[in-house]
Amino acid sequence: MQWSDQAIIIGVKRHGEASVIAEVMTRAHGRHLGLVRGGRSRAMQPVLQPGNEVEVTWRARLDEHLGEFRIEPVHLRAARLMEAATSVYGVQAMGALLRLLPERDPHPHLYEALDVILENLHDPRDAGELFVRFEIAVLNDLGFGLDLAECVATGARADLAYVSPKSGRAVSRAAGAPYADKMLALPAFLVEGGAADYDSLLAAFRMTAFFLHRHVYEPRGIVLSAARDGFVQAALKALMKQDPVAHT
């Protein structure tokens, strides 16, 4: 068994004295693990850092085996990702999200999204918006997609202001007004485009956290990753510095 693919490093675990087990997100083969012999060498350690883009070749006797990776560097950005808190936490948080998906299950659109977000983690506004959309995409791939295109009650596509916590569908301002205290806020940037401000990004983080907890984390008996909390706080703090009129 053998294949080659583009991949992004999302984690590494020590294996023996000189080797590691690398965890990567590939374009065509999903999240995949493989043994890297000599992975703890001086030459390989800088390559096997989370966030780096590499070319991997996987080999195994049988498909169900762990197999071995041969890894070649393509785009080493890990050093740059260590420069900002949003980047440090963002890489870890996206890795935790990808681990919610079945191993070796192809999700090429998530690979593409991951690659784009890694290039924009240094900007808290872009990073926050892209991360929320990534969480929504993961929810969709897990079978819990949100429908934010039209009002669940009226079919209206304008002035969408809420999300029903029960159905995960959008609700217009007029239809949702009597139940506003029971609804989740729907940030305008998710349906109308434009840039997120502090309050809308905070609302978006709360919305995705609610559905991740209800549909994924609580049923599996796990909690939201600490890295996500770190990313959210770093993104909001940096955004507040950019926009002095922002409020909590």
Side-chain angles (χ1 to χ4, degrees), residues 1 10 18 31 36 38 43 55 67 85 97 101 107 109 135 147 167 181 231 235 242:
M1 306 296 299
I10 59 174
R31 182 175 61 86
V36 182
E55 182 79 19
L97 284 167
L101 301 167
H107 297 269
H109 58 292
E135 289 187 313
D147 184 354
S167 67
D181 59 334
F231 173 80
Q242 289 184 2

Side-chain angles (χ1 to χ4, degrees), residues 54-110:
V54 296
E55 182 79 19
V56 300
T57 298
W58 179 81
R59 293 190 183 92
R61 286 185 56 243
L62 297 174
D63 186 59
E64 60 266 27
H65 288 177
L66 172 65
E68 295 186 15
F69 278 147
R70 187 180 74 243
I71 294 182
E72 298 292 338
V74 174
H75 181 24
L76 303 185
R77 54 191 163 201
R80 177 168 57 82
L81 291 173
M82 295 298 292
E83 295 175 357
T86 49
S87 301
V88 173
Y89 288 119
V91 173
Q92 299 174 41
M94 286 188 291
L97 284 167
L98 292 170
R99 292 183 187 103
L100 299 173
L101 301 167
E103 189 183 344
R104 305 188 182 190
D105 190 12
H107 297 269
H109 58 292
L110 291 182

Side-chain angles (χ1 to χ4, degrees), residues 9 11-12 14 17-20 36-52 54 71 73 76 78-79:
I9 305 290
V12 174
R14 179 175 174 174
E17 292 298 319
S19 301
V20 300
V36 182
R37 297 192 183 278
R40 299 187 65 223
S41 68
R42 288 186 178 182
M44 287 304 299
Q45 283 187 26
V47 176
L48 296 173
Q49 296 298 313
N52 282 343
V54 296
I71 294 182
L76 303 185

Side-chain angles (χ1 to χ4, degrees), residues 153-173:
T154 66
R157 291 177 172 265
D159 201 25
L160 301 176
Y162 306 103
V163 179
S164 166
K166 292 183 178 180
S167 67
R169 299 184 65 183
V171 181
S172 68
R173 192 177 307 279

Side-chain angles (χ1 to χ4, degrees), residues 143-209:
F144 307 108
L146 306 182
D147 184 354
L148 308 179
E150 64 181 31
C151 176
V152 63
T154 66
R157 291 177 172 265
D159 201 25
L160 301 176
Y162 306 103
V163 179
S164 166
K166 292 183 178 180
S167 67
R169 299 184 65 183
V171 181
S172 68
R173 192 177 307 279
Y179 318 99
D181 59 334
K182 298 179 181 179
M183 295 283 185
L184 297 166
L186 174 56
F189 74 88
L190 287 177
V191 291
E192 300 173 3
D197 59 16
Y198 180 96
D199 290 331
S200 63
L201 192 57
L202 177 60
F205 285 139
R206 286 174 173 169
M207 181 189 73
T208 51

